[in-house]
C-alpha cells in the first residue's frame, strides 16, 4: 500500500534535481490512485446519523450526518393522518373539537369558500323538508292509537253524543223553600210557573253558579214574564253547610200577583229547573289563574311611625304582615323633611332660616308648611303614596329663588318593613313620618 510523502518546499534554484524527487512524485501519484473517490462510490456511500431529540429546521450549513439526523426527527413525528387523502370520524380523537376550543365567530361566511358545501357533498341520509314530509306516522313512537287510526272510537274521555244528535245536559228540578243536598256547579236556570188561571209559562233566568264558598247565596239573572203586566223574576240559591234551598223574587209594574214570591204568598205555583253545564266547576273565589281574586286589604299601622337617626336616603318602618314585592298604597301623616338633625337646617325662604318643612293637607289645601324651630309641629298631613309610582313635590327653597324638588318612593324590599326612599337637590332627609291607611293588593 502506497504512502503519501510530503514533498519538500524549501528548494533553492541552485539545488540540483536528485533521483529522490522522482521517487516522491511516483509514490504520491500511486497514493492518489488508490485513495481517489469515484461517482459510484459517492452514490453507494453509507451515512451514519443520530435522530435529533427535537424538531428543528435545517440550517444554512449542516454536516451530512447532522442534516439527516434532523430530517429523521420530522419523519418520526408524523402520524398516520399525515399520509391520508381523506379524514374520517375514526381518525379524530374523541372530544378533540369542543365548543370551548372554537373561538367566537371563528367560522364565518367569509371564511367558507364559495360553494364549499354543496348538495353533492351532503350524503343521502341528510334530513330535508321533502324527507320529513314523507315520514309516516307508523315510524313515530309515543303517539296514541287515534293518531294513526283517525277513528273517533279510539278517543279517550270522549263526550257522549245522544243518538238523536245535539247536546244533552243533566236536568234537575227543585221546589221553592225546600232543603236539598248541596250540588256545586254551573247551571242554566229556568223557572216553570203558572198563574192563578193555571196558565203555564217558562222563564229563562240565565246562569246560576252554586258553590259552598258563596255562603251568602248565589243569584241568577233576571227574566221578564209578560202576563198583561211586566213581571221580573230572579232566583236565589241559599247555601247552609251541605244543603241548599231556592227562593224566587219578583217585581211588577201592575197591581196583580201572577207568580209566587219569596214569602210564599202567591196566586199560582213555580219550580226551579236547572241544566248542568257538563263538568264545569262553579265560579268561586279561586276561579282565576292567580289563585284568587285580588282586592285591596288593610294592614293595621295604628301608631306606626319612623324617625331617622342618621343621614341617609331611605327609611325602614316596621309593618308586620308586609311581603317582599307587595303592591301597596299608604297615607303619610306629619311628613317632616329636614337637612340636619343636629342643628338648624339651611333652607332659605324669604331670607329666614327655617328648621324644616312639613307636608300639611288637613287645612283644606295641600301645602308644605315651614317649621320655625325644632320642637314646632303641625297638624297631621294626608298624602297617599303608591308603590306603582314615585311621588314628586316641591320642598322648600335651596336659596332665595330655587325650588327644591323631592321624589319619594314607597315599597317593600324586605319582609315586614315598609321602605321609603327619596332624592332631592339639597340632599335633605325625611326626619320623621307617621303611617295611616296602609293597604296591600292581594
Amino acid at each position: 500500500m502506497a504512502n503519501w510523502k510530503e514533498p519538500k518546499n524549501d528548494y533553492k534554484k541552485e539545488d540540483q534535481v536528485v533521483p529522490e524527487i522522482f521517487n516522491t512524485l511516483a509514490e504520491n501519484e500511486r497514493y492518489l490512485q488508490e485513495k481517489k473517490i469515484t461517482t459510484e462510490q459517492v452514490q453507494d456511500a453509507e451515512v451514519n446519523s443520530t435522530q435529533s431529540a427535537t424538531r428543528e429546521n435545517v440550517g444554512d450549513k449542516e454536516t451530512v450526518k447532522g442534516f439527516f439526523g434532523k430530517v429523521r426527527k420530522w419523519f418520526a413525528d408524523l402520524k398516520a393522518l399525515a399520509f391520508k387523502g381523506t379524514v374520517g370520524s375514526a381518525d379524530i380523537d374523541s372530544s378533540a373539537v369542543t365548543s370551548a376550543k372554537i373561538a367566537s365567530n371563528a367560522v364565518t361566511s367569509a371564511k367558507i369558500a364559495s360553494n364549499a358545501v354543496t348538495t353533492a357533498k351532503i350524503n343521502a341520509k341528510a334530513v330535508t323538508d321533502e324527507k320529513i314530509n314523507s315520514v309516516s306516522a307508523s315510524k313515530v313512537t309515543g303517539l296514541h292509537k287515534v293518531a294513526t287510526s283517525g277513528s273517533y272510537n279510539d278517543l279517550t274521555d270522549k263526550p257522549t253524543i245522544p243518538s238523536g244528535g245535539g247536546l244533552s245536559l243533566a236536568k234537575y228540578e227543585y221546589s221553592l223553600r225546600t232543603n236539598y243536598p248541596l250540588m256545586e256547579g254551573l247551571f242554566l236556570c229556568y223557572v216553570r210557573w203558572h198563574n192563578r188561571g193555571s196558565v203555564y209559562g217558562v222563564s229563562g233566568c240565565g246562569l246560576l253558579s252554586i258553590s259552598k264558598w258563596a255562603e251568602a247565596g248565589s243569584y241568577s239573572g233576571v227574566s221578564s214574564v209578560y202576563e198583561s203586566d211586566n213581571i221580573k223574576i230572579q232566583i236565589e240559591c241559599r247555601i247552609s253547610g251541605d244543603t241548599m234551598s231556592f227562593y224566587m223574587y219578583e217585581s211588577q209594574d201592575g197591581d196583580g200577583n201572577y207568580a209566587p214570591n219569596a214569602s210564599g204568598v202567591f196566586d199560582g205555583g213555580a219550580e226551579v229547573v236547572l241544566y248542568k253545564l257538563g263538568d264545569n266547576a262553579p265560579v268561586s273565589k279561586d276561579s282565576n289563574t292567580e289563585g284568587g281574586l285580588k282586592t285591596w286589604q288593610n294592614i293595621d299601622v295604628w301608631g306606626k311611625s319612623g324617625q331617622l337617626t342618621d343621614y341617609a336616603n331611605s327609611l325602614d318602618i316596621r309593618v308586620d304582615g308586609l311581603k317582599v314585592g307587595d303592591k301597596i298604597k299608604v297615607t303619610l301623616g306629619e311628613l317632616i323633611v329636614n337637612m340636619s338633625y343636629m342643628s338648624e337646617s339651611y333652607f332659605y325662604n324669604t331670607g329666614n332660616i327655617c328648621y324644616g318643612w312639613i307636608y300639611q293637607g288637613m287645612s283644606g289645601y295641600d301645602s308644605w308648611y315651614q317649621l320655625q324651630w325644632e320642637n314646632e309641629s303641625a297638624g297631621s298631613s294626608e298624602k297617599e303614596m303608591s308603590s306603582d309610582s314615585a311621588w314628586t313635590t316641591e320642598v322648600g327653597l335651596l336659596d332665595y329663588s330655587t325650588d327644591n324638588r323631592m321624589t319619594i318612593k314607597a315599597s317593600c324590599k324586605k319582609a315586614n318593613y315598609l321602605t321609603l326612599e327619596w332624592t332631592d337637590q339639597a340632599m335633605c332627609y325625611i326626619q320623621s313620618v307617621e303611617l295611616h291607611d296602609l293597604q296591600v293588593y292581594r
Side-chain angles (χ1 to χ4, degrees):
M1 180 177 179
N3 295 317
W4 175 265
K5 291 185 177 181
E6 193 69 28
K8 291 178 64 177
N9 57 8
D10 56 348
Y11 290 105
K12 299 178 182 178
K13 62 181 180 179
E14 57 269 19
D15 290 339
Q16 296 182 355
V17 175
V18 293
E20 287 78 6
I21 294 175
F22 295 101
N23 291 335
T24 298
L25 292 175
E27 287 293 328
N28 286 349
E29 182 179 4
R30 183 182 174 188
Y31 177 84
L32 290 175
Q33 289 177 348
E34 292 179 357
K35 292 294 184 181
K36 71 178 179 181
I37 301 175
T38 65
T39 301
E40 289 77 16
Q41 289 175 323
V42 173
Q43 291 176 346
D44 296 333
E46 294 180 354
V47 178
N48 294 324
S49 65
T50 301
Q51 179 178 304
S52 296
T54 59
R55 291 193 300 272
E56 54 183 316
N57 199 3
V58 178
D60 295 333
K61 188 176 182 180
E62 298 280 359
T63 64
V64 174
K65 67 178 183 179
F67 176 90
F68 283 100
K70 291 182 178 181
V71 172
R72 286 178 61 187
K73 178 60 178 175
W74 281 93
F75 276 101
D77 284 357
L78 291 175
K79 299 296 188 293
L81 192 61
F83 304 98
K84 292 195 173 185
T86 59
V87 179
S89 300
D91 298 320
I92 302 176
D93 291 340
S94 178
S95 301
V97 180
T98 63
S99 299
K101 293 179 181 179
I102 300 177
S104 178
N105 295 323
V107 180
T108 62
S109 299
K111 293 181 180 179
I112 300 176
S114 178
N115 296 323
V117 180
T118 63
T119 304
K121 294 180 180 179
I122 301 176
N123 62 36
K125 294 182 180 180
V127 178
T128 63
D129 290 341
E130 292 76 9
K131 293 180 180 179
I132 293 176
N133 292 334
S134 64
V135 177
S136 64
S138 61
K139 295 181 180 180
V140 181
T141 61
L143 296 177
H144 289 284
K145 184 178 179 180
V146 67
T148 55
S149 70
S151 172
Y152 174 82
N153 293 326
D154 292 327
L155 285 173
T156 58
D157 299 326
K158 57 181 178 290
T160 301
I161 300 178
S163 58
L167 180 63
S168 177
L169 301 178
K171 177 183 177 183
Y172 304 90
E173 299 183 11
Y174 301 97
S175 298
L176 295 176
R177 295 175 297 280
T178 302
N179 289 332
Y180 298 94
L182 176 63
M183 182 174 61
E184 295 185 296
L186 192 61
F187 303 86
L188 287 175
C189 179
Y190 293 87
V191 174
R192 182 176 57 226
W193 58 279
H194 63 275
N195 63 11
R196 57 189 174 187
S198 297
V199 176
Y200 285 86
V202 175
S203 299
C205 294
L207 290 175
L208 180 63
S209 176
I210 302 177
S211 171
K212 60 183 178 182
W213 168 77
E215 295 180 358
S218 301
Y219 289 86
S220 71
V222 176
S223 176
S224 295
V225 179
Y226 296 92
E227 177 73 23
S228 71
D229 291 321
N230 185 10
I231 304 173
K232 296 179 180 178
I233 296 176
Q234 185 178 48
I235 296 298
E236 176 195 8
C237 178
R238 297 181 186 177
I239 310 298
S240 178
D242 293 326
T243 63
M244 61 183 182
S245 55
F246 296 92
Y247 296 81
M248 187 171 70
Y249 294 90
E250 62 157 327
S251 63
Q252 61 185 43
D253 296 329
D255 55 2
N257 221 358
Y258 296 97
N261 55 35
S263 65
V265 178
F266 59 92
D267 286 335
E271 296 84 30
V272 177
V273 180
L274 301 181
Y275 290 91
K276 188 173 185 181
L277 297 179
D279 295 326
N280 291 326
V283 179
S284 68
K285 64 178 180 180
D286 297 323
S287 293
N288 67 324
T289 57
E290 295 183 2
L293 298 174
K294 289 189 175 182
T295 59
W296 285 105
Q297 302 178 24
N298 292 318
I299 290 186
D300 183 18
V301 290
W302 177 258
K304 294 287 184 181
S305 62
Q307 185 166 0
L308 204 65
T309 58
D310 198 356
Y311 292 111
N313 65 344
S314 65
L315 174 62
D316 290 331
I317 304 174
R318 176 84 184 192
V319 178
D320 294 332
L322 279 183
K323 299 178 181 179
V324 175
D326 267 342
K327 180 179 178 181
I328 61 177
K329 57 184 179 181
V330 60
T331 299
L332 303 184
E334 202 167 87
L335 172 62
I336 301 177
V337 176
N338 208 342
M339 281 194 71
S340 172
Y341 65 92
M342 299 185 65
S343 62
E344 291 182 336
S345 66
Y346 295 95
F347 290 113
Y348 289 86
N349 186 14
T350 64
N352 296 322
I353 297 177
C354 67
Y355 175 74
W357 292 83
I358 181 168
Y359 186 84
Q360 183 174 3
M362 294 289 288
S363 57
Y365 58 91
D366 294 342
S367 63
W368 284 88
Y369 173 70
Q370 178 179 315
L371 301 180
Q372 298 295 333
W373 57 85
E374 182 174 355
N375 295 324
E376 182 183 6
S377 61
S380 296
S381 60
E382 294 291 337
K383 188 65 181 178
E384 186 178 84
M385 298 180 60
S386 171
S387 57
D388 285 344
S389 60
W391 171 50
T392 300
T393 189
E394 303 296 333
V395 185
L397 300 174
L398 293 179
D399 50 36
Y400 291 101
S401 60
T402 305
D403 290 334
N404 178 32
R405 179 172 290 271
M406 171 175 273
T407 299
I408 307 175
K409 181 181 180 181
S411 62
C412 180
K413 292 190 171 183
K414 58 181 179 179
N416 300 317
Y417 282 93
L418 172 70
T419 298
L420 298 179
E421 300 172 282
W422 58 86
T423 57
D424 75 327
Q425 294 97 320
M427 297 181 66
C428 61
Y429 68 98
I430 294 179
Q431 176 179 320
S432 63
V433 65
E434 293 180 356
L435 302 183
H436 302 283
D437 303 325
L438 176 61
Q439 293 180 300
V440 295
Y441 191 67
R442 294 176 182 165

